[in-house]
């Protein structure tokens, strides 16, 4: 029997790695934009805003993918519960017959 309540959790080390990687890459991008030689402030601002938009859309995409996955898990859980109920009803009816 499948344990539907089992959730695979990430290790604290992995969570730290992911957060640190995100912070380092974001800081590195803004440092690179700031120290671009021979580029005016308007172009640097455009690149900074583009970077922020990319980060925001990445968060939105990952949340949407996770929500779709969680929704599908819930639908599968309901379908399995319905199937188990039907099987129990069938077994009960076949025992009485």
């Amino acid at each position: 029997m499948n344990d539907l309540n089992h959730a695979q959790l990430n290790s604290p080390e992995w969570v730290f790695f992911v957060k640190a990687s995100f912070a380092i890459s974001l800081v590195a991008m803004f440092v690179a934009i700031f120290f671009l030689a021979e580029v005016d402030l308007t172009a640097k601002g455009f690149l900074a805003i583009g970077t922020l938009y990319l980060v925001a859309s990445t968060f939105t995409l990952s949340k949407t993918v996770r929500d779709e996955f969680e929704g599908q898990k819930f639908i599968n859980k309901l379908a399995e519960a319905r199937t188990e109920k039907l099987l129990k009803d069938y077994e009960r009816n076949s025992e009485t017959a």
Side-chain angles (χ1 to χ4, degrees):
M1 179 152 94
N2 292 339
D3 184 13
L4 295 174
N5 294 326
H6 176 70
Q8 181 178 358
L9 299 175
N10 294 317
S11 70
E13 294 83 9
W14 176 253
V15 173
F16 172 78
F17 173 75
V18 169
K19 289 179 180 181
S21 296
F22 175 76
I24 290 169
S25 66
L26 193 59
V27 167
M29 184 65 183
F30 280 112
V31 167
I33 290 170
F34 180 74
F35 286 110
L36 277 175
E38 301 177 17
V39 177
D40 64 345
L41 191 58
T42 305
K44 288 180 181 181
F46 177 77
L47 291 173
I49 294 297
T51 300
L52 290 175
Y53 181 70
L54 181 61
V55 169
S57 61
T58 301
F59 279 122
T60 304
L61 175 64
S62 64
K63 182 189 177 311
T64 301
V65 169
R66 185 202 64 208
D67 289 348
E68 287 180 356
F69 175 75
E70 292 294 325
Q72 191 60 41
K73 259 180 34 178
F74 181 70
I75 289 171
N76 290 342
K77 195 177 205 180
L78 287 175
E80 186 173 324
R82 213 174 294 133
T83 302
E84 285 182 23
K85 183 182 181 298
L86 285 172
L87 288 173
K88 285 181 184 178
D89 289 346
Y90 177 78
E91 288 174 359
R92 194 174 339 140
N93 289 339
S94 64
E95 289 173 0
T96 59

